[in-house]
Amino acid sequence: MTERIRLLVAAIAVMVFALFVQRWPGRLDDPTAVLTDAMGNAFVPRSEGLLDTTAGLGLLMLGAWLFGRLAAGVRLPKISAYLVFGAMVGPAAISLVTDDQLKNLRLVDDLAIALIALTAGGEIEFHMLRKQAKAVLLVTLGAAIAVFTVVTPTIVWGSEFFGFGEVESMSALVMLALLVALFGTATSPAVVIATLADLHARGPMSRLSLSVAVLWDLALVVLFAVLVAIAGPIFAAEMGDATAALHDEGSLILSLIQKLGGSVLLGAVAGLGLTWYLRRVKVHLPIVIVLSCFAIAIVAESLHLKALIASLVAGLLLRNIWEEDSEPLFETVEELSLPVYCVFFAVAGARIDLQLVMQIWPAALVLVCLRTALVWVGAGIGARLAGESKSTAMWVPTSMIAQAGVSVALAGVFLETFHSADFASTFYNLVLVTIAIHQLVGPVLFQVGLAKSGEVGTGGAGDATPVSVSEKP
Amino acid sequence: MKFFLAILVIVTVALLSASARFYRLRRSRFVVALLSGGWLFVGVGVLIGPAMIGAVEEAALARLTPVLAITLGWIGMTVGLQARRDVLRGLPRSLYACAAMDVAMSVIVFGTLSWLILGMWAQHATVAQRWPAAVLLTTASIGWLLETRSLHANSSPASARLSLCVRGGGALASMAAVLIFGLFAHASARLPGGEIEFAWGNAIVMASVTVLLAVMAGLIGRFALRLAGGDRSELLLVFLGLVAIVAGSATSLGYSPLLASALAGAVIANLAGPALRRFERFILQAEYVIASLFSILAGMLLDVRIGLAGVGLAMGLASARYIFKSPVFAFSARRRWDQGGEENEPPPDMPEDSPLYWAPIRQAPLAIALGVSLVMTESSPMSRKLLAVIVLTGLLTSAPMVFATMRSDQTDEPGEPDDKASGSASAEVDA
């Protein structure tokens, strides 16, 4: 109890610190004055937003971490705490972090997206997937079919209720509904791995849960890229951008193949580069990883490729082809992930438009209930069809409820891609609120599922999963 | 894109240069001398920056403000973390004497010299306008480069003692430089109309607020370090978070990020307990790469168009270093300050003649950090020209040593490296 109070006091102290700095007049130059130096040269001072960004970064990092520790103390997921902290200090609430600062923190987004995808790729082990191919396929398909067939028409039918009333064309509405449904199928391998490691769980359900989570993560990224590529011209037409809308099907497919192929190639090159570095140089790994992630993000952006897919492929190749060389790299990625995740999720939280959330929370709640029920039923049926035991079929869907890293990253990519559209903000907030709710209930449900299937504590310390996890959300 | 790729290539070179493969190359005294001042990377920064080929444009450079603030905070915190009460109490008095005499001499000699030459360079500037520049040049002159390996000293106990004097005295002088610059460089304030005038009241308030921020951050840091324990990812988060929040807050208030983070480091050093050692070890691991990155950024920031007056200023400062630094250091180091002190046996005499007496001629790399700190708080052409003057002074004071070591490298068999190439204060004091 005392520790929790200390944590709370520390988190408040960080906020008071930031508040003090924000309110204290300091000695910033008057932006309207013509400034000259001692030699009479006129100059322009640096923008306040840019100067404040570093302090904002520190506040988000330390504050979110302390809040996460506080949440963990009362058995709540850390990611939710990071999101809540971000929302609390963001422009929509007490505004310790301003819009200007959030714009300047875009670099962190790029880094985090690449890092999350690299981690996700590193969690996919081919040999493990091959053993359970049928079960994994049927469980994921069961959940996906259930979610897509019910959520898509529900969104179209209730567009007003879900906040998409202003979308005029039916094709745009259907695309939005498909994208919402796609997010509905997303899971969180990081949560699955963390929970399995935490509870020392081992058994058929644990193995199947892990395989499903990582495989679906890969499929989700590819499907998202496909859907966004198809949706691009449709949304452009909805926004009145005629030139962007003039894409025939042939060029669309070609562009999609180019994007996917190019991204895979970029990922392979990045993987090769990292392997060479790990074999030949092997020093300052954290800095190399940060730079590699930035490099992937920058090259992908300039060549119109998908950084997420490229990083995922790099991680996948490193884990499965150059496994021995890549072990230190993934250990370092794990070390780096905490500060990056703290800032990334806190920034995501700070971007939540709380006013909009107040309007859409009933819709988000309906979506959460609908999705949970559909995933449970669909995945359960899939597991039964694959010949899994009753217990596994009953409880394996609990591993698919939590949503985190990749989902938030994809939501950010959507907002970035379609930022000029009115519906983008609604979509982003709806998805983020549902992710936050799922993140709150998901780990708890999975814990219950593992306990009911009798797999808790059967793995012994440290051997529950193929990869070790410490503080990954 | 061009900018990030340029940075990427450069940092990759920095990383490769840190690898085992390049270890043999780094054993050369010439390379040690070249790397220890960060000149190689400053040169690369100048080359790709707006001053030369322009791979990095002004707008992109401005966007790097947070990275600059964090690297400055990192430097400040490594300086501050050395200020542990038990360590400071245990240091021989001769080190304090060396540092104090150097500070006093620098303020009198270099302060006067800077003031006079600046008066000629910026003829129409008021006293208040010239003040920050003079404080910068004076504090940049305090201390020296701590690297000693390239100076060919023998391994006698007296020589080792003198080497300690170079390192310890220089580290203490660096702390003093950060403190003096942080307290006095911002004593002038800009009025809403743009004019500058002295505002000692503001300076006192600024100093008090900086101390307050540092104490708050130090207390948060102490708690956070205890929470993090030995977890490396949590240690990384705490360090980055603290540096960002302290240096960032000072930057956004227009105060010195170096001073704020150095004070926060000092508070943490004296409060953190057993967690501090892990924290220090962790920070030192990234030292070489961060120092290289900082040098590149500094190179990009400086304005090489300093004209004859700027070159004259740099030459004047360098000449003063050649004339005054070595004799004053030799005088303070040879005095038997420790007689009757804490040691049972009297310390050995300092060698009569040693190349280590020339060590204080070389300007401390921290001078560049002070210059960058001024650019951060006032991004004027003058600040960037002053940064160029500091870099040029450093080069003028280091180049003869580098060439001397190059010549002796051809005849000598180099020994094992005994200190870090980056030559930062923290590594030197640990050594």
Side-chain angles (χ1 to χ4, degrees):
Chain A
M1 189 66 181
T2 325
E3 188 69 7
R4 280 178 216 156
I5 292 170
R6 279 186 189 159
L7 274 166
L8 189 64
V9 170
I12 292 169
V14 172
M15 288 196 282
V16 170
F17 186 103
L19 187 69
F20 173 78
V21 172
Q22 194 181 54
R23 297 292 154 91
W24 187 257
R27 60 182 293 277
L28 279 179
D29 302 321
D30 180 358
T32 57
V34 178
L35 306 178
T36 52
D37 63 20
M39 297 172 80
N41 301 308
F43 69 96
V44 184
R46 286 168 202 268
S47 81
E48 276 188 43
L50 205 54
L51 287 171
D52 297 342
T53 301
T54 321
L57 180 72
L59 164 72
L60 290 174
M61 203 181 278
L62 279 178
W65 174 64
L66 289 167
F67 243 63
R69 297 282 300 226
L70 193 62
V74 287
R75 294 181 177 276
L76 285 174
K78 288 179 178 173
I79 292 178
S80 310
Y82 304 157
L83 284 166
V84 169
F85 182 79
M88 227 163 64
V89 298
I94 53 177
S95 200
L96 287 176
V97 178
T98 61
D99 277 325
D100 265 359
Q101 292 174 33
L102 288 179
K103 276 180 206 150
N104 291 322
L105 284 170
R106 231 199 78 191
L107 268 180
V108 180
D109 271 8
D110 292 342
L111 173 66
I113 288 168
L115 203 68
I116 287 168
L118 192 72
T119 313
E123 281 160 11
I124 300 170
E125 290 192 42
F126 289 150
H127 70 89
M128 200 175 75
L129 291 179
R130 264 199 301 271
K131 283 184 198 164
Q132 297 174 299
K134 188 182 166 193
V136 170
L137 196 72
L138 287 172
V139 169
T140 48
L141 271 180
I145 290 169
V147 172
F148 270 104
T149 49
V150 178
V151 170
T152 311
T154 307
I155 297 282
V156 173
W157 175 68
S159 59
E160 283 284 343
F161 176 70
F162 289 103
F164 301 123
E166 288 173 11
V167 179
E168 287 171 3
S169 86
M170 180 51 87
S171 52
L173 192 59
V174 171
M175 281 315 300
L176 267 177
L178 280 169
L179 279 161
V180 173
L182 183 69
F183 274 95
T185 63
T187 60
S188 171
V191 167
V192 172
I193 293 166
T195 312
L196 291 178
D198 198 32
L199 301 176
H200 307 301
R202 201 187 181 102
M205 184 191 142
S206 304
R207 278 196 300 274
L208 185 59
S209 302
L210 187 62
S211 303
V212 167
V214 290
L215 184 76
W216 187 244
D217 231 31
L218 178 66
L220 180 77
V221 174
V222 177
L223 277 174
F224 177 78
V226 172
L227 272 184
V228 165
I230 298 169
I234 297 170
F235 288 162
E238 168 72 19
M239 290 181 277
D241 185 352
T243 47
L246 289 174
H247 281 286
D248 58 44
E249 281 176 21
S251 69
L252 187 71
I253 292 167
L254 193 68
S255 137
L256 199 64
I257 291 170
Q258 275 174 348
K259 270 186 184 178
L260 288 176
S263 306
V264 170
L265 194 68
L266 176 63
V269 171
L272 260 174
L274 281 168
T275 309
W276 174 83
Y277 188 87
L278 287 163
R279 279 187 189 163
R280 301 283 173 185
V281 187
K282 227 177 184 174
V283 289
H284 300 301
L285 277 183
I287 291 158
V288 172
I289 291 166
V290 169
L291 285 174
S292 306
C293 289
F294 273 133
I296 290 174
I298 292 159
V299 174
E301 192 185 326
S302 63
L303 300 177
H304 305 291
L305 303 174
K306 296 284 164 199
L308 210 69
I309 295 178
S311 305
L312 199 83
V313 169
L316 202 130
L317 292 176
L318 281 162
R319 169 63 73 197
N320 292 284
I321 297 179
W322 304 297
E323 194 177 353
E324 276 182 29
D325 295 311
S326 65
E327 202 50 55
L329 181 124
F330 286 112
E331 282 168 15
T332 314
V333 166
E334 213 174 290
E335 276 176 21
L336 279 177
S337 53
L338 180 66
V340 174
Y341 284 5
C342 275
V343 179
F344 174 69
F345 287 109
V347 167
R351 286 201 182 119
I352 294 177
D353 184 341
L354 290 177
Q355 282 184 328
L356 196 62
V357 169
M358 293 311 286
Q359 289 168 20
I360 62 171
W361 73 265
L365 204 61
V366 167
L367 205 58
V368 167
C369 295
L370 195 62
R371 181 216 174 231
T372 306
L374 291 167
V375 166
W376 211 307
V377 172
I381 292 172
R384 289 300 287 161
L385 289 176
E388 294 291 332
S389 70
K390 248 187 182 175
S391 162
T392 301
M394 177 67 191
W395 298 111
V396 85
T398 56
S399 68
M400 301 171 77
I401 305 300
Q403 294 185 309
V406 174
S407 323
V408 178
L410 292 178
V413 172
F414 181 90
L415 185 66
E416 194 65 39
T417 312
F418 302 110
H419 59 92
S420 53
D422 293 337
F423 56 76
S425 177
T426 312
F427 180 92
Y428 179 77
N429 284 289
L430 181 66
V431 166
L432 223 57
V433 174
T434 56
I435 290 171
I437 300 172
H438 283 128
Q439 185 54 30
L440 278 168
V441 295
V444 181
L445 278 177
F446 186 39
Q447 206 166 312
V448 171
L450 284 169
K452 292 279 182 191
S453 60
E455 294 186 8
V456 173
T458 52
D463 63 350
T465 63
V467 290
S468 64
V469 280
S470 55
E471 286 300 324
K472 275 191 296 186
Chain B
M1 166 78 179
K2 202 165 69 170
F3 160 69
F4 280 109
L5 285 181
I7 292 284
L8 195 71
V9 170
I10 290 153
V11 180
T12 308
V13 172
L15 290 166
L16 288 176
S17 71
S19 69
R21 186 166 278 232
F22 290 82
Y23 176 73
R24 281 188 71 81
L25 186 66
R26 295 208 317 275
R27 290 178 68 202
S28 150
R29 288 196 176 98
F30 170 65
V31 177
V32 168
L34 196 69
L35 290 174
S36 57
W39 307 119
L40 200 66
F41 296 109
V42 172
V44 172
V46 174
L47 192 72
I48 63 161
M52 300 285 273
I53 60 172
V56 181
E57 290 154 4
E58 283 294 342
L61 200 51
R63 274 176 54 207
L64 277 178
T65 304
V67 181
L68 257 179
I70 288 175
T71 48
L72 274 178
W74 178 83
I75 292 168
M77 198 162 277
T78 50
V79 170
L81 283 172
Q82 295 166 36
R84 277 212 321 264
R85 254 176 321 194
D86 52 339
V87 171
L88 293 179
R89 266 198 220 121
L91 289 178
R93 265 177 283 173
S94 56
L95 300 190
Y96 287 103
C98 284
M101 289 202 62
D102 183 67
V103 171
M105 185 270 290
S106 300
V107 170
I108 296 165
V109 175
F110 291 88
T112 312
L113 190 69
S114 309
W115 191 259
L116 291 174
I117 303 179
L118 276 170
M120 288 186 273
W121 197 15
Q123 287 172 3
H124 303 294
T126 61
V127 172
Q129 274 179 316
R130 263 189 281 158
W131 179 258
V135 173
L136 170 66
L137 294 176
T138 307
T139 48
S141 303
I142 295 175
W144 46 77
L145 178 65
L146 309 182
E147 184 271 325
T148 54
R149 197 177 80 83
S150 65
L151 292 172
H152 296 265
N154 60 39
S155 54
S156 66
S159 196
R161 191 170 162 74
L162 185 58
S163 178
L164 178 72
C165 225
V166 172
R167 291 152 180 269
L172 289 172
S174 296
M175 288 183 206
V178 170
L179 193 68
I180 296 170
F181 176 80
L183 293 178
F184 292 97
H186 308 290
S188 58
R190 200 175 283 279
L191 300 176
E195 308 87 37
I196 297 178
E197 68 173 28
F198 277 108
W200 293 104
N202 272 4
I204 293 166
V205 171
M206 185 212 71
S208 315
V209 171
T210 306
V211 171
L212 181 71
L213 288 180
V215 171
M216 278 173 79
L219 290 171
I220 294 169
R222 181 200 177 198
F223 177 71
L225 278 179
R226 196 177 58 76
L227 269 184
D231 188 311
R232 288 174 60 82
S233 57
E234 297 205 330
L235 277 177
L236 176 68
L237 182 140
V238 171
F239 181 62
L240 282 178
L242 278 176
V243 163
I245 204 164
V246 178
S249 301
T251 308
S252 58
L253 290 174
Y255 302 165
S256 166
L258 267 177
L259 178 63
S261 43
L263 289 177
V267 175
I268 292 170
N270 289 291
L271 292 178
L276 182 68
R277 271 278 146 210
R278 284 194 297 266
F279 191 51
E280 280 179 327
R281 270 200 301 274
F282 183 79
I283 293 165
L284 285 174
Q285 282 174 357
E287 187 181 34
Y288 176 75
V289 176
I290 300 279
S292 310
L293 185 65
F294 177 75
S295 301
I296 293 169
L297 291 171
M300 292 194 296
L301 272 178
L302 60 85
D303 184 352
V304 290
R305 295 162 298 177
I306 53 175
L308 274 177
V311 174
L313 177 57
M315 287 180 76
L317 292 169
S319 307
R321 285 193 83 91
Y322 278 102
I323 296 166
F324 292 101
K325 282 281 180 175
S326 188
V328 171
F329 173 72
F331 171 76
S332 53
R334 283 186 187 134
R335 288 286 301 270
R336 297 182 66 85
W337 304 95
D338 289 330
Q339 253 178 359
E342 66 280 1
E343 294 171 27
N344 293 331
E345 287 180 28
D349 285 332
M350 290 293 181
E352 274 305 309
D353 187 28
S354 167
L356 288 171
Y357 286 121
W358 298 103
I361 291 174
R362 300 170 305 171
Q363 184 180 267
L366 187 74
I368 299 177
L370 296 172
V372 172
S373 184
L374 188 70
V375 177
M376 284 286 286
T377 47
E378 184 174 302
S379 56
S380 66
M382 175 77 176
S383 305
R384 295 172 73 165
K385 282 184 169 61
L386 287 170
L387 181 60
V389 168
I390 289 172
V391 169
L392 184 58
T393 310
L395 265 176
L396 288 172
T397 54
S398 297
M401 304 279 187
V402 172
F403 288 118
T405 54
M406 190 167 64
R407 284 183 62 192
S408 57
D409 254 2
Q410 290 167 355
T411 51
D412 290 6
E413 184 62 34
E416 290 297 309
D418 62 359
D419 51 22
K420 296 215 167 197
S422 57
S424 88
S426 53
E428 311 298 338
V429 162
D430 270 8

